[in-house]
Structures are given as C-alpha cells and as structure tokens.
Amino acid sequence: MTDSLVLPLNRTCPYAPPPEHIRLQQEPVTRVTLPDGSQAWALSRLEDIRAMLTDPRFSSDRQREGFPLQPPARRTGTPVRQSMIGLDPPEHGEARRAVVGEFTVRRMTALRPRIQQIVDEHVDAMLAGPRPADLVPALALPVPSLVICELLGVPYTDHDFFQSRSANLLNRSIPADERYAAANEIREYMAALIVEKEKQPADDLLSRQLAKGADREDLAGLGFLLLLAGHETTGNMISLGVMTLLERPPALAAMKEDPTVTPEVVEELLRYFTIAEFVTSRVATEDVEIGGALIRAGEGVITLGNAANRDPAAFTDADTFDIRRGARHHIAFGFGPHQCLGQNLARLELQIVFDTLFARIPGLKLATTTDELSFKNDSTVYGLHSLPVTW
Ligand code: HEM
C-alpha cells in the first residue's frame, strides 16, 4: 500500500490548476496513485514533459498495459482499433501523414471566410435573441462544431447526438460502461456515415480519404477523433476565453485596439487554462530516466500540463494572465510527434470568434459572477457548462 497523492484532482479555482498539482513542482517526477488504485508517475515540469513526449521509449497506446487514466474502452470492452492519437511509430507517422495536408496553415487560411460567416450568423442570432443569452449553445459550441462537420462531411443536423455523446465520453464522473457506450455510438455513427460517403462522395475530408483508398475502419476512427477533438476543445476555449477577457478589461481593450494582439491573447489563454492536460499521458516501454527518476518499462506517466504551463522556470510570474508574455512555448497542444493536428484550425477559430464578438457586441458583459458559473471540473477537457452573458 502507498500513501502517495491520488491524482488527478479536480480544479477548484476556475483560473488555476489544483494547488496539489502546483505543489508537485517541488518534487517534479513523483509517484502518485490514480483513481483506480494503480500507481503512476506524475510530471509537472515543462522540460520533463517535453523530454518525455519526444522520447520514443514512451508509448501513446491507450490499450497497452500500464497506460494511465485509460479511456473506458479497454477497461470494459474488447480492444478497438486505435486512431492516430493512440498509435506509435511507424503506424502513427503513416496515419498522420495521410491527413496532415488537410490541416496546413494554407488550408486553414482558405477556411477563414467560411468561419467568419458562421461566426457572424451566430452573433446575428444572439443579437436578435433574448438577453441574457447562454454563450455556450449560442456561439462557443456550434461554431467549432459546424466547422469540423463541414470539413469532415458530417451532417450538422446530427449535432445533438454527437455533442451529447462526446460530453459523456469525456466526463470522468460517469461510469466507465456508459462512457464506453457513448464512444461506441459515435463509432457506429461514423461507420454508417462512411458507407453513405462511399455511395455518394462529396467535397469533404471523409470522401477525399476514401478516394485515396483509406481503410474503412481506420477512417471511422479518424472521423471519430476529429469530430470529438474538433468541437469539444475549441468550444471550451471560446467560453473560457470570453469569460476571462470580460473579467480583464485592460487585456480586452488592448485586443480591441489592435487586432494583431489577438493571436498573443489566444496563446496566453491556451497556456493559462491548458484544458486537455492529461491526453499527453504515456506508458514507458523501456526503463528511462526522466528528471533524475528511473521510470521502469510498463509504468505509466501522467502529465500535469496545466502545472507545467505555470512552471516558473519556463514562464515568469506564471500565475499572472499576461497577454504580452509571448506564451507560444506552452504545451497546451502537447509536444512532439503527437502535437495537436488541429492547432492551426483552433487558433484561427479562436481569433475570429474573439475579434468578431467583441467588435460586434461592444457592451458584452457577464450576466452572473464567476462564483456562480458551472465548470467542467471533472471532464477530461476542462471548460464551462454555460456562460450567461448580456449587453
Ligand atoms: C483549443 C483546442 C485544442 C486543444 C487544447 C487541443 C489539444 C490537443 C493535445 C494536448 C493533443 C496531444 C495529444 C497527445 O499528445 O497524445 C492533441 C492532439 C490532437 N488534436 Fe487537438 N486540441 C485542440 C483542437 C483540435 C482541433 C480543432 C482538432 C481537429 C480539427 C484537433 C485534432 C487533434 C488530433 C487529430 C490530435 C492527435 C494528433 C496525433 O496523435 O498525432 N484538436 N490536441
């Protein structure tokens, strides 16, 4: 038995990692207990996490024995074929290369007018609707959801279905079999959609991958990953970002005065919240020394990315929200070979939403206090359940 700290802990302050995660920076590579009683290592220093994420002796295979904080599939069901996020070399490189061309800066820039149009339509609807409005269903969730649907070729009319299943899948407080069922439903939905695309190809990512000869099951896995990663994450960053900026008038004023500041604001928001910190966890395949500790083959490593993005060795005055700090070396999108494939898209969506929303509704304000807001403290992806705003 061990009396080591049980991690991960839920956030208690909306703007900060759990204090215990920060305290671990004094003991940056340390043994912890996971909620299922198993043991793992926790890393809380930026340098150590970067070293681990670029070391091929750590595996991303979520179904491998010892992988920490396993998603529900392995615990309750038969193993499923993994999508790129769970693959190691050489399969990972092949899977990523097959689709990376869809996410280049150039491809994303070409999407700008359509994203702008989607944002404008949602702001129009907000302005025409009642006050206060809930920003999450009015703007934060539908914008990235619509964008990823159009890119993939998923009918947006099905959004209630996949948004609710995604939220369940990511909710750590829901029993594993329910989360597994949610994942299966999305997987089956994707498989059926791919059959449709085969019959009736269109100008979308799924059809293009089919035309290139993609394996159907792999493509269903890719579609699942992109649909999930493409809307939950960015949607949460939109609502957290709006909340943060409304509470920090000088930062908001600086951004409104000079739109070239917006990308810096986005980077600082990504660092400050680090909403998907545990997805970069890994399992060692050989004995490896990290930060002076010996991690043995088969042992899991969880990454406290939110704490690492406040590592005093990497960020001066790290707890301060500072849009001028130059935060781009944060690891909110991960690091190394699995670094977020959709980061250019996420950045673009966040920039367009912030620039448009604050310009078009200059009197926007929170319709409640931060104390009353409901945060996704127990979700794999941190965020807000709702954000009442008025103007
Ligand atoms: C603010 C929004 C986002 C955040 C914070 C975020 C965060 C992350 C992180 C931390 C990883 C690394 C996972 C690992 O190392 O195992 C990752 C990977 C990934 N993300 Fe994102 N993401 C965001 C938006 C998106 C979007 C919009 C898409 C798709 C359109 C996307 C698609 C992916 C994919 C496919 C991977 C796996 C890449 C690989 O395994 O090679 N993400 N993301």
Side-chain angles (χ1 to χ4, degrees):
M1 282 305 281
T2 171
D3 56 0
S4 66
L5 196 59
V6 178
L7 292 187
L9 292 161
N10 290 341
R11 302 183 195 206
T12 46
C13 165
Y15 289 112
E20 293 83 352
H21 289 192
I22 289 286
R23 234 171 275 137
L24 284 181
Q25 278 168 350
Q26 309 306 319
E27 212 187 323
V29 189
T30 192
R31 290 295 273 171
V32 293
T33 303
L34 300 181
D36 66 359
S38 65
Q39 294 272 294
W41 294 91
L43 303 188
S44 52
R45 250 188 344 208
L46 193 81
E47 189 192 326
D48 294 333
I49 296 182
R50 286 176 151 195
M52 193 274 286
L53 291 176
T54 44
D55 190 319
R57 294 169 295 176
F58 287 97
S59 168
S60 283
D61 182 352
R62 268 73 180 154
Q63 296 175 17
R64 202 178 179 116
E65 197 61 46
F67 193 95
L69 305 174
Q70 270 160 349
R74 178 185 152 92
R75 295 198 202 155
T76 53
T78 45
V80 291
R81 202 178 308 171
Q82 306 230 44
S83 58
M84 113 183 44
I85 202 161
L87 296 178
D88 293 324
E91 289 82 6
H92 171 255
E94 283 165 27
R96 188 159 167 133
R97 274 191 299 277
V99 74
V100 75
E102 296 277 354
F103 292 95
T104 57
V105 176
R106 218 172 61 163
R107 283 301 279 272
M108 294 305 111
T109 308
L111 286 179
R112 179 179 269 278
R114 178 62 188 136
I115 299 176
Q116 182 67 60
Q117 192 182 17
I118 292 173
V119 174
D120 276 325
E121 284 167 6
H122 284 78
V123 174
D124 288 344
M126 261 177 80
L127 286 167
R131 282 177 272 177
D134 183 350
L135 193 94
V136 172
L139 186 78
L141 196 53
V143 167
S145 229
L146 256 161
V147 171
I148 195 65
C149 279
E150 289 192 7
L151 193 72
L152 281 175
V154 170
Y156 185 67
T157 41
D158 295 336
H159 70 277
D160 277 344
F161 162 77
F162 62 76
Q163 283 170 359
S164 66
R165 302 313 185 276
S166 305
N168 283 354
L169 170 62
L170 296 173
N171 189 336
R172 286 199 301 255
S173 66
I174 288 183
D177 53 348
E178 281 176 41
R179 297 176 62 196
Y180 181 56
N184 256 351
E185 281 184 73
I186 310 181
R187 207 169 282 116
E188 279 163 17
Y189 170 85
M190 268 298 161
L193 185 64
I194 285 163
V195 173
E196 289 304 309
K197 295 281 168 199
E198 279 190 289
K199 286 191 217 147
Q200 248 183 327
D203 183 16
D204 55 47
L205 186 150
L206 292 177
S207 302
R208 282 191 289 275
Q209 293 292 315
L210 276 173
K212 285 204 295 185
D215 174 273
R216 308 300 179 257
E217 201 179 327
D218 286 345
L219 188 55
L222 175 69
F224 178 170
L225 173 64
L226 291 173
L227 188 62
L228 180 71
H231 79 274
E232 262 290 337
T233 49
T234 315
N236 285 314
M237 276 313 301
I238 291 173
S239 48
L240 290 169
V242 170
M243 173 193 78
T244 307
L245 290 165
L246 288 178
E247 291 207 312
R248 286 163 179 74
L252 180 56
M255 191 181 83
K256 282 165 81 169
E257 206 167 285
D258 177 3
T260 63
V261 172
T262 313
E264 291 304 309
V265 171
V266 167
E267 293 313 313
E268 179 63 348
L269 284 168
L270 287 161
R271 177 193 79 89
Y272 207 54
F273 287 105
T274 317
I275 58 169
E277 56 180 333
F278 305 122
V279 292
T280 46
S281 296
R282 301 285 188 264
V283 57
T285 58
E286 294 174 35
D287 294 358
V288 189
E289 201 188 300
I290 294 275
L294 180 65
I295 300 175
R296 299 233 176 243
E299 291 179 340
V301 181
I302 67 164
T303 50
L304 306 179
N306 198 5
N309 274 337
R310 297 188 183 216
D311 181 345
F315 302 96
T316 310
D317 207 2
D319 287 329
T320 304
F321 181 78
D322 176 4
I323 59 173
R324 309 277 178 191
R325 73 165 62 250
R328 235 186 132 90
H329 56 297
H330 65 71
I331 52 162
F333 286 125
F335 193 69
H338 286 273
Q339 197 180 46
C340 182
L341 183 70
Q343 59 185 287
N344 297 330
L345 177 58
R347 287 189 168 107
L348 183 64
E349 290 177 329
L350 290 166
Q351 290 168 17
I352 295 175
V353 167
F354 296 147
D355 282 342
T356 309
L357 179 69
F358 294 116
R360 291 199 52 200
I361 317 186
L364 192 75
K365 53 184 186 233
L366 294 180
T368 181
T369 59
T370 346
D371 296 349
E372 281 164 332
L373 291 172
S374 164
F375 291 88
K376 297 181 182 174
N377 289 320
D378 49 8
S379 175
T380 308
V381 181
Y382 181 64
L384 271 161
H385 288 290
S386 69
L387 184 65
V389 289
T390 193
W391 53 93

